[in-house]
Amino acid sequence: MERFLPGENFSAAIDINFGPSGDLYILEYGDAWFRKNSNSQLIKLEYNSGNRKPIVQASSNKMAGAVPFDAQFSSAGTTDYDAYDQNALKYNWEVTSDNGAEKSFSEANPSMTFEKPGVYKITLTVTDSKKESNRSSFEIVAGNEPPEVAIDFKNANQSFYFGENSLPYAISVNDKEDGGTEKGSIKAEEIAITFDYVPAGFDPIEVAQNQSGADLLAIDAIGKNLIESSDCKSCHQYNTKSIGPSYADVAGKYENTSENRAMLQDRVINGSSGIWGDHAMAAHPELSDEHAKRIVDFIMGILDEKPTIASLPLNGNLRPNLPEGEDGSGAYILRAAYQDKGGDGLKPLAGEVNLVLRNPVVFPQSAEQSKRTQLLTTPRTNFFVLGPEAHLGYENIDLTGIKQVDVFVQVSPRYEAHGGIIEVRLDSPSGKLIGQSDKVIQKDAPRGGWGKPDKNATPEEMKARRRRGTQAVNIPLEATHSKHDVYFVFKNTNAPENEIMMSIKEMEFYKNKEG
């Protein structure tokens, strides 16, 4: 039969249908049964018989900063699928802001100096030779430098978890306006620090929801610390009446609306009298609007039920625990986040860093880059590499302490696989060679399936079951102490184009052969 979309790999397409507008919809189940597959998706293919509009990508190398600062705009990724428009696109950048500043550029990649505080909307409109256009927008905040959050993982590998019982770490935060943790102006309780296990194929939105409790507590702590550093407590206590009302009484009296918060914010800065008795409330003109807002937000939420998620200290030792019922194929995530106090009337900005320690077993389906590969999901999953040369690329892998990688393959005579050698290279398929296998030759694998799944099997038993019938290709690696894109390059100059070299099951990285 004639091949349909020969350049596309589909992961168990289970339904395909044309919509009423002529667009084609393809539903992919993914490569495993009864799981939240990371490669399940709904694809929409649109048909356009005439001129196609440009596809616009707009970005900047700096999205926020203290003024003045320079930003380099970029239209990289902008394209038009009509060949006659490749060199005929016209670019128009429009810059507008809440402070009245306006500017425009007609170059593809202009630069701009931001000198006044404000929120700037940047819009790129691209028009083709048929006068059809598309646009893309983003915002730049001028007047507030975003905080920098860093994790010091004490020279440990920052990509994989190798079963350690204890992992030392340290968190630091620096903010141009707020100060930093080293100076003590940013306190530990103002930073949300969490460490969680997430199953394989985890939903990032679900993970973010699990962290929100720690974020709320950290933001709450900023308002409380602003109160502690001012003279507020000379007249007010949190839950008991003093010269003035308690903060709990204030929260109980006023409904938590934007109007009431604005009114209380004004009283904090400008003072008030005669509302809670004869004593006047002193003005605090030295407080910025942002700091007064943080104080009021804390007061208005003082009666709310607080999250139960506790944030970790700035430094210590992580204790990875595998939740009951999990097979260890997921990842541990260490996350640190800080939301600053704002500046120059601007909204607060957040800084966040996530350190993801995944299982050292990686699968070919998860490669970010691939060439001459073919994924089949029936009757079972097979990931083939084809022709005289093919490759798989994994982005941003830390090779610190990694001494060997094992590639588990099948070179079966049943599908006339040709075999070949496997190279491990850095940053590109032709980059630095740090490991190479002997030639992998044909070897018959036992027939039959993996057997019935055992829900009580240990992670090691499940791993052995997956690898049944494969050859373990051991590749020692040259010592590398940094993060790189890692490419597995498969070569056999005698293999004809589009014929199978071998089937790749999985790879495992080792600090040493004992794991």
Side-chain angles (χ1 to χ4, degrees):
M1 295 176 64
E2 183 179 350
R3 291 193 67 191
F4 175 67
L5 294 176
E8 298 293 331
N9 278 324
F10 296 102
S11 298
I14 58 173
D15 202 359
I16 182 169
N17 208 346
F18 283 100
S21 63
D23 300 328
L24 181 65
Y25 295 85
I26 302 172
L27 183 63
E28 296 183 71
Y29 186 91
D31 60 5
W33 300 107
F34 305 106
R35 274 177 44 194
K36 292 182 179 179
N37 292 317
S38 58
N39 59 341
S40 59
Q41 60 182 343
L42 177 65
I43 295 174
K44 177 184 177 182
L45 300 177
E46 297 180 359
Y47 174 70
N48 186 342
S49 61
N51 180 68
R52 288 167 287 188
K53 292 182 179 180
I55 295 174
V56 180
Q57 299 285 338
S59 62
S60 172
N61 68 331
K62 195 170 176 68
M63 303 300 289
V67 293
F69 70 89
D70 295 325
Q72 176 67 53
F73 302 158
S74 173
S75 60
T78 297
T79 189
D80 193 301
Y81 288 118
D82 297 311
Y84 51 80
D85 280 325
Q86 286 301 307
N87 297 309
L89 298 178
K90 294 182 179 180
Y91 298 84
N92 183 53
W93 295 84
E94 293 287 341
V95 181
T96 58
S97 80
D98 51 6
N99 62 23
E102 292 188 9
K103 206 163 188 178
S104 62
F105 305 93
S106 57
E107 310 101 286
N109 303 298
S111 61
M112 178 174 172
T113 300
F114 291 86
E115 298 177 339
K116 294 182 179 180
V119 178
Y120 293 77
K121 184 177 181 181
I122 319 297
T123 302
L124 170 61
T125 302
V126 179
T127 305
D128 65 15
S129 61
K130 305 297 183 183
K131 309 299 182 185
E132 293 201 69
S133 62
N134 246 332
R135 65 181 57 191
S136 179
S137 300
F138 58 88
E139 284 188 349
I140 285 181
V141 178
N144 184 15
E145 192 80 23
E148 296 179 356
V149 184
I151 295 177
D152 180 0
F153 214 48
K154 308 300 182 183
N155 297 318
N157 187 280
Q158 297 186 31
S159 288
F160 301 115
Y161 172 61
F162 293 100
E164 298 93 339
N165 295 322
S166 178
L167 297 166
Y169 74 97
I171 307 293
S172 62
V173 176
N174 283 292
D175 185 88
K176 188 168 185 177
E177 293 80 16
D178 297 353
T181 49
E182 292 183 2
K183 300 176 182 177
S185 51
I186 295 178
K187 309 221 175 334
E189 63 267 24
E190 298 175 349
I191 306 166
I193 306 170
T194 54
F195 183 63
D196 290 301
Y197 177 84
V198 293
F202 64 90
D203 183 349
I205 296 175
E206 189 175 324
V207 173
Q209 289 173 340
N210 291 339
Q211 315 297 333
S212 61
D215 286 0
L216 291 173
L217 289 176
I219 293 169
D220 218 27
I222 292 176
K224 184 177 180 181
N225 289 337
L226 287 169
I227 289 173
E228 296 283 349
S229 63
S230 73
D231 64 352
C232 297
K233 290 187 70 179
S234 61
C235 296
H236 302 279
Q237 299 298 313
Y238 294 111
N239 295 295
T240 58
K241 187 178 184 306
S242 181
I243 296 173
S246 70
Y247 295 131
D249 289 339
V250 175
K253 178 175 180 176
Y254 298 104
E255 185 181 356
N256 193 355
T257 64
S258 57
E259 292 78 13
N260 283 338
R261 289 197 300 272
M263 175 266 294
L264 292 172
Q265 185 177 329
D266 179 73
R267 290 180 185 174
V268 169
I269 294 175
N270 298 310
S272 65
S273 62
I275 298 171
W276 293 88
D278 296 333
H279 291 282
M281 177 176 168
H284 298 84
E286 75 283 357
L287 275 180
S288 67
D289 289 339
E290 294 78 27
H291 286 192
K293 180 180 182 302
R294 289 297 187 105
I295 290 173
V296 171
D297 286 345
F298 169 78
I299 294 170
M300 295 302 282
I302 200 169
L303 296 178
D304 295 345
E305 184 177 350
K306 302 302 179 185
T308 57
I309 296 178
S311 183
L312 297 175
L314 284 177
N315 53 72
N317 289 282
L318 304 170
R319 308 288 181 183
N321 291 310
L322 186 64
E324 185 177 353
E326 291 294 337
D327 61 5
S329 61
Y332 291 94
I333 298 181
L334 174 61
R335 175 181 179 269
Y338 172 73
Q339 186 182 89
D340 70 16
K341 301 176 179 70
D344 290 322
L346 301 170
K347 64 182 180 180
L349 297 176
E352 177 181 337
V353 62
N354 289 281
L355 195 156
V356 180
L357 299 177
R358 52 178 156 161
N359 192 291
V361 176
V362 297
F363 297 93
Q365 298 94 318
S366 63
E368 287 89 0
Q369 304 293 332
S370 64
K371 185 176 182 180
R372 291 197 178 95
T373 64
Q374 183 181 56
L375 173 64
L376 300 180
T377 55
T378 53
R380 66 180 64 172
T381 301
N382 274 298
F383 195 99
F384 295 117
V385 289
L386 311 173
E389 183 173 328
H391 69 251
L392 297 170
Y394 298 84
E395 296 177 357
N396 202 32
I397 286 185
D398 186 7
L399 293 172
T400 301
I402 303 294
K403 296 181 179 179
Q404 180 172 313
V405 62
D406 289 356
V407 184
F408 296 87
V409 305
Q410 285 183 336
V411 188
S412 175
R414 292 201 298 274
Y415 43 75
E416 298 181 345
H418 294 274
I421 63 169
I422 305 172
E423 298 177 342
V424 182
R425 293 181 177 271
L426 299 182
D427 302 321
S428 79
S430 58
K432 181 182 177 181
L433 179 68
I434 62 168
Q436 180 175 307
S437 75
D438 296 329
K439 185 173 182 181
V440 188
I441 61 174
Q442 273 191 11
K443 182 179 179 182
D444 203 5
R447 293 183 178 273
W450 288 348
K452 293 182 179 179
D454 182 0
K455 294 182 179 180
N456 298 318
T458 66
E460 288 302 315
E461 289 170 340
M462 295 178 69
K463 186 192 297 185
R465 181 172 170 267
R466 290 198 311 267
R467 295 173 179 177
R468 181 171 178 249
T470 65
Q471 298 184 53
V473 182
N474 313 127
I475 307 176
L477 300 179
E478 178 184 323
T480 305
H481 303 286
S482 55
K483 289 185 176 182
H484 291 272
D485 295 344
V486 177
Y487 282 82
F488 292 86
V489 183
F490 306 87
K491 293 182 176 179
N492 185 340
T493 55
N494 296 319
E497 197 78 22
N498 295 324
E499 290 195 13
I500 295 170
M501 223 188 304
M502 61 187 80
S503 172
I504 314 301
K505 296 301 180 183
E506 59 189 61
M507 295 82 112
E508 182 167 5
F509 290 88
Y510 295 94
K511 289 199 301 183
N512 51 63
K513 188 50 188 166
E514 289 71 39

